[in-house]
Amino acid sequence: PNRGRTRNSGGTSCFTFSAFNVWMTYAQVGVIAIRMKVEKAHGTPRVPDADAISRFRDSPAVWLTFAGSAVYELYSSLLEPIGLKPSWVTAMAIIEQRPNITQSGLGRELRINRASSMATCARMEETGLVIRTALKGRNQTGLNLSENGRKKLDDACNIEREMIEKLLEGIPSINRNSLIEMLRLITNR
């Protein structure tokens, strides 16, 4: 099966099994490295040790799940000192990209229900990350980042970039690019 990135005769990208195996090895190594960093920071691991569970050792779904959980946990702990959560960073990036987005529009973009969208927006407004602006001719308000929100979003993006650099240290850039492309394909299915 074609699962790793290569070029076929038509010039389009496809994936080969060997590239997928390389990616799985990096995913496993990455999860182990992240577990160790989170364990060091918090004293206990936040994800199970998949290598210790024989049924899970070669399961892509388990490694994807554990890698996502481990990265999320580490990113959360790094954002905590600046008063942010990963979900807020995503919301702020959407607001930055779509100035004057409504609260319901943000909820649709985040794929969350109305109550969750209201709570997220209220907390971000209370902490001075977003401001509401009356929309002309409409009985609604638009959300925009405050100056503090822009600065915090920049800080969060820098934290994420540094975290990923450290986690992927020693992995050749071609393999990093393949990893990102595979994750993008899996996410968008």
Side-chain angles (χ1 to χ4, degrees):
N2 289 331
R3 293 188 184 149
R5 188 173 188 273
T6 62
R7 297 276 174 199
N8 64 20
S9 59
T12 58
S13 291
C14 62
F15 286 93
T16 64
F17 185 70
S18 62
F20 185 75
N21 285 344
V22 168
W23 174 79
M24 277 299 296
T25 300
Y26 286 132
Q28 292 167 343
V29 169
V31 170
I32 292 166
I34 295 165
R35 277 186 88 249
M36 290 169 54
K37 288 177 192 245
V38 172
E39 185 172 343
K40 186 176 181 181
H42 296 284
T44 58
R46 302 294 190 185
V47 294
D49 182 0
D51 270 331
I53 306 167
S54 60
R55 179 181 287 268
F56 289 168
R57 276 191 201 115
D58 298 317
S59 173
V62 169
W63 286 106
L64 285 168
T65 303
F66 287 2
S69 296
V71 168
Y72 185 86
E73 181 68 32
L74 181 58
Y75 191 41
S76 294
S77 70
L78 295 172
L79 289 175
E80 195 174 319
I82 64 169
L84 294 181
K85 300 175 182 184
S87 60
W88 291 9
V89 174
T90 304
M92 291 165 57
I94 292 169
I95 293 167
E96 178 186 53
Q97 188 170 328
R98 297 200 42 215
N100 289 317
I101 189 171
T102 62
Q103 185 174 287
S104 59
L106 179 62
R108 281 191 297 277
E109 290 287 326
L110 291 170
R111 309 313 191 262
I112 59 176
N113 63 39
R114 187 168 186 228
S116 295
S117 178
M118 287 174 61
T120 299
C121 291
R123 281 296 292 140
M124 290 192 309
E125 187 176 23
E126 287 169 13
T127 56
L129 300 171
V130 299
I131 53 175
R132 294 178 189 265
T133 308
L135 299 177
K136 285 186 178 183
R138 297 173 70 181
N139 193 18
Q140 290 183 317
T141 58
L143 300 169
N144 291 286
L145 291 181
S146 66
E147 284 306 312
N148 183 43
R150 287 183 201 290
K151 183 191 176 311
K152 295 270 188 161
L153 180 57
D154 287 343
D155 292 346
C157 290
N158 288 332
I159 288 169
E160 186 254 348
R161 197 172 8 268
E162 290 171 13
M163 175 189 75
I164 294 300
E165 279 300 314
K166 287 177 185 173
L167 291 175
L168 299 180
E169 203 169 56
I171 297 174
S173 63
I174 191 167
N175 293 345
R176 289 180 187 200
N177 295 338
S178 293
L179 170 64
I180 291 166
E181 188 171 336
M182 284 184 217
L183 290 172
R184 206 176 260 138
L185 284 170
I186 290 167
T187 302
N188 291 325
R189 286 187 169 240

